[in-house]
Amino acid sequence: METRELTYFVAVAEELHFGRAAERLGITQPPLSRAIGQLERRLGATLFERTSRQVTLTEAGAVLLQEGRAALDAVVAAERRVRRTAQALTGRPSVVLASKAGASAELLAKLLHAYDAEPGAAAVEVLLCGPGQQEGLLRDGRADVALLHRPFDSIAGFDTEELVTEGQVLVLPAGHPLSTRTSVTLAEVESLADLPQPRWPRRDGSYPDGPGPEVRDLTQLRQLVALGRTCTVLPESVRADLGETLVCVPVSDAVQVTTVIAWPPHSRSKAVAGLVRAATAG
Amino acid sequence: METRELTYFVAVAEELHFGRAAERLGITQPPLSRAIGQLERRLGATLFERTSRQVTLTEAGAVLLQEGRAALDAVVAAERRVRRTAQALTGRPSVVLASKAGASAELLAKLLHAYDAEPGAAAVEVLLCGPGQQEGLLRDGRADVALLHRPFDSIAGFDTEELVTEGQVLVLPAGHPLSTRTSVTLAEVESLADLPQPRWPRRDGSYPDGPGPEVRDLTQLRQLVALGRTCTVLPESVRADLGETLVCVPVSDAVQVTTVIAWPPHSRSKAVAGLVRAATAG
DNA sequence: GCATATCGATGCCTGCGCGGTATCGATCGG
DNA sequence: CCGATCGATACCGCGCAGGCATCGATATGC
């Protein structure tokens, strides 16, 4: 199976429409139809059920979508990492570390400081991204190592080391009735009709339904909390960079959040190893 | 990057010889040279340092070998798993479970029994293989789920659930001086000049140097122990199928061995989920 | 109910690129 | 210095990917 065929298949499987998929791929529809047909013949499996009005995935197709995405990610990751190591030879080597913007800020600072002190430390490019994106960055080679937060981020398929575990706090606008409490429960948080929970984007970028505001990052979120439009439950460490207008109250029954450092399981990179060492030593 | 190019690259990287690599690939040397050259140009990286007498990997080449193998495995795994799910639709679905021949026999039997009792259980094909091979089987899709033994097998990149943890015992021919002891230490085992430790094959099939006999599986090993040519340290559960001629003595300071059930992190398969459930429930 | 639009499949053609043969050029051994 | 080894290059032919035109099926509008 060639990566070209896989790319074509994934495009059709995602669009469920040959014409749009072809457009996305920058080719015309006929060769795409033929490529998929040929792939099906070679695999001995029907991947799509198609009428002239509708295209649906078969079970075999669903399997190929899942596995094929992983395979394609692995291929482009290989490509990117080779490019980067080649560049590294003509300059100071560098690693890309992905972290959620705003999360684990203090930990990240300490980590970078500790690693920089190591002899032969590489330049660390920090890639701050939205929640749920680090996984993809790590999988397709745009990042070499990432800070993830269990149980929110999936660590499936990566090697990890635990760094810190912390409880969660409710972040409220100052002056809210609950802001003087010493502790609240999740049930109380969810029943706050005046401060509906914010809605985060799914993998595909769409938002679930609900009354709360749509948010993409912590800066937005902080602003919306300060404006009294929402409240949110976050790991304790956010306390560090909250201003005067926001208040934290521990949530007694929220799950513990563990920050882990994660990397692709076969990483050969000395820089990644050094970062992991610096992280776990600190 | 096309999988064909990756396959070519891996062949050359493994052989470090264009002629032999071409032969292995079933093509002639010139197109192979061109394919590699083109790949290097497209990646903007030199992958091999070649004189007319010697080919060596560059650092970028080493990275591509590592990542490229993983990527190729992912591609062929996708292919195999699609083929298998398509077959499964025209008959009873089946899962392939890989386990080291001879290891965890009792656990495996219990697991299969428990799973068979589930409603809608798939047929389980058991693939008994040599030590260190399960990882590859799972990675390239020949197996869907495997029983691994930490810390011997690498679980990097898989999802796992721990099943049992056990100590290790020294397996000796009956009548050996140490066979009457209630416990021994690793130091004692290693100093047994009359019974040198057996040598297991590496990934590539070659054997390390040393005085002990070369072994490929537990049956061979058991026979060699019985013949008084070697001794070995194995998890306790081997006691179950040792005959009269072999004796076990607990090793006080050997690492604990954990048997885990492992599967590719994105597995969609109900059968795999069922097996994992049966394993952890038992 | 007929005309029309939509959409995937098919037939046909062209050009690129993969693979083969022949050969060159560099390096090492005798 | 000659020959053997091995990767690179030149040249050629064929297969296949991709484009255009069109077909057949199905849902939609008047």
Side-chain angles (χ1 to χ4, degrees):
Chain A
M1 209 170 25
E2 289 303 312
T3 62
R4 184 183 49 81
E5 302 177 282
L6 253 184
T7 311
Y8 286 7
F9 167 78
V10 170
V12 176
E14 283 177 358
E15 300 283 347
L16 289 177
H17 188 290
F18 281 75
R20 279 196 298 276
E23 191 181 357
R24 193 173 113 184
L25 293 166
I27 63 173
T28 55
Q29 172 259 322
L32 181 56
S33 282
R34 260 180 297 139
I36 300 292
Q38 185 172 321
L39 183 60
E40 288 179 315
R41 249 175 291 125
R42 278 213 286 253
L43 291 176
T46 307
L47 300 171
F48 298 104
E49 224 53 83
R50 52 267 228 193
T51 70
S52 68
R53 302 304 291 179
Q54 183 163 328
V55 176
T56 54
L57 269 179
T58 62
E59 194 178 322
V63 170
L64 186 57
L65 180 56
Q66 190 84 5
E67 303 263 337
R69 272 178 177 150
L72 278 180
D73 277 347
V75 172
V76 308
E79 196 166 334
R80 257 194 265 265
R81 297 215 168 95
V82 172
R83 282 215 165 85
R84 284 174 34 71
T85 49
Q87 281 177 10
L89 297 179
T90 68
R92 196 173 168 209
S94 77
V95 228
V96 178
L97 184 151
S99 178
K100 268 195 273 263
S104 306
E106 200 181 352
L107 181 73
L108 179 57
K110 262 196 265 180
L111 164 58
L112 293 177
H113 189 73
Y115 176 65
D116 268 342
E118 288 202 2
V124 180
E125 282 177 48
V126 178
L127 195 58
L128 294 175
C129 59
Q133 298 193 315
Q134 300 111 301
E135 200 192 326
L137 295 175
L138 209 51
R139 233 177 262 291
D140 71 8
R142 279 173 294 173
D144 300 307
V145 58
L147 294 181
L148 302 181
H149 300 85
R150 281 194 332 206
F152 304 133
D153 303 316
S154 153
I155 59 169
F158 299 125
D159 275 8
T160 58
E161 284 287 343
E162 296 192 4
L163 300 182
V164 292
T165 298
E166 52 189 338
Q168 296 193 74
V169 294
L170 172 65
V171 183
L172 285 168
H176 188 277
L178 280 186
S179 64
T180 54
R181 295 273 294 274
T182 55
S183 146
V184 295
T185 64
L186 276 180
E188 287 178 293
V189 173
E190 269 153 31
S191 63
L192 288 175
D194 56 332
L195 295 179
Q197 296 286 306
R199 288 172 296 137
W200 293 94
R202 291 189 264 255
R203 286 292 152 76
D204 60 5
S206 71
Y207 286 86
D209 290 333
E214 298 179 353
V215 297
R216 276 198 347 270
D217 57 55
L218 283 172
T219 310
Q220 281 189 359
L221 179 56
R222 199 174 305 146
Q223 201 165 355
L224 286 167
V225 174
L227 290 171
R229 313 299 283 274
T230 188
C231 68
T232 185
V233 175
L234 290 176
E236 281 171 19
S237 57
V238 292
R239 283 178 189 274
D241 46 22
L242 289 181
E244 297 285 307
T245 53
L246 301 182
V247 180
C248 292
V249 183
V251 178
S252 55
D253 56 350
V255 288
Q256 296 279 101
V257 176
T258 304
T259 303
V260 303
I261 184 165
W263 63 96
H266 41 68
S267 179
R268 273 181 47 87
S269 156
K270 277 177 200 156
V272 170
L275 270 168
V276 173
R277 206 180 322 115
T280 49
Chain B
M1 210 168 27
E2 289 303 310
T3 60
R4 184 183 49 82
E5 302 178 284
L6 254 183
T7 312
Y8 286 7
F9 167 78
V10 170
V12 177
E14 284 177 358
E15 300 283 347
L16 289 177
H17 189 290
F18 280 73
R20 278 197 299 275
E23 190 180 357
R24 194 172 110 183
L25 292 166
I27 63 173
T28 55
Q29 173 260 321
L32 182 57
S33 282
R34 258 182 298 136
I36 300 292
Q38 183 172 321
L39 183 60
E40 288 179 314
R41 250 174 291 124
R42 279 213 286 251
L43 290 175
T46 308
L47 300 172
F48 298 104
E49 225 52 86
R50 53 267 229 194
T51 70
S52 68
R53 303 303 291 178
Q54 183 163 327
V55 176
T56 54
L57 269 180
T58 63
E59 195 177 323
V63 170
L64 186 57
L65 180 56
Q66 190 84 7
E67 304 262 338
R69 273 178 176 151
L72 278 181
D73 277 348
V75 172
V76 307
E79 197 165 334
R80 257 194 266 265
R81 296 215 168 95
V82 171
R83 281 217 166 84
R84 285 174 33 69
T85 49
Q87 280 178 10
L89 297 179
T90 68
R92 194 173 169 208
S94 77
V95 228
V96 178
L97 185 152
S99 178
K100 270 195 270 264
S104 306
E106 200 181 351
L107 181 72
L108 179 56
K110 263 197 266 180
L111 165 58
L112 293 177
H113 190 73
Y115 176 65
D116 268 342
E118 288 203 3
V124 180
E125 283 177 49
V126 178
L127 195 59
L128 294 174
C129 58
Q133 297 193 315
Q134 300 112 301
E135 200 190 326
L137 295 176
L138 210 50
R139 232 177 262 291
D140 71 8
R142 278 173 295 174
D144 301 306
V145 58
L147 292 181
L148 302 181
H149 299 86
R150 281 193 333 204
F152 304 133
D153 302 317
S154 154
I155 58 168
F158 299 125
D159 276 7
T160 58
E161 284 287 343
E162 296 192 4
L163 299 183
V164 293
T165 298
E166 52 190 338
Q168 296 193 73
V169 295
L170 172 64
V171 183
L172 286 168
H176 188 276
L178 279 186
S179 64
T180 54
R181 295 274 293 276
T182 55
S183 145
V184 297
T185 65
L186 275 180
E188 287 179 293
V189 173
E190 270 152 31
S191 64
L192 287 176
D194 56 332
L195 295 179
Q197 296 286 306
R199 290 172 294 136
W200 293 96
R202 300 191 195 97
R203 286 293 151 76
D204 60 5
S206 71
Y207 285 87
D209 289 334
E214 299 180 351
V215 296
R216 274 199 348 270
D217 57 55
L218 283 172
T219 310
Q220 281 189 0
L221 179 56
R222 200 173 305 146
Q223 200 164 355
L224 286 166
V225 174
L227 290 169
R229 312 299 283 276
T230 188
C231 69
T232 185
V233 175
L234 291 176
E236 281 172 19
S237 56
V238 292
R239 283 178 189 273
D241 46 21
L242 289 181
E244 297 286 305
T245 53
L246 301 181
V247 179
C248 291
V249 183
V251 179
S252 54
D253 57 350
V255 289
Q256 296 280 102
V257 177
T258 304
T259 304
V260 303
I261 183 165
W263 63 97
H266 41 69
S267 178
R268 274 182 48 85
S269 156
K270 277 176 201 160
V272 170
L275 270 169
V276 173
R277 206 178 323 118
T280 49

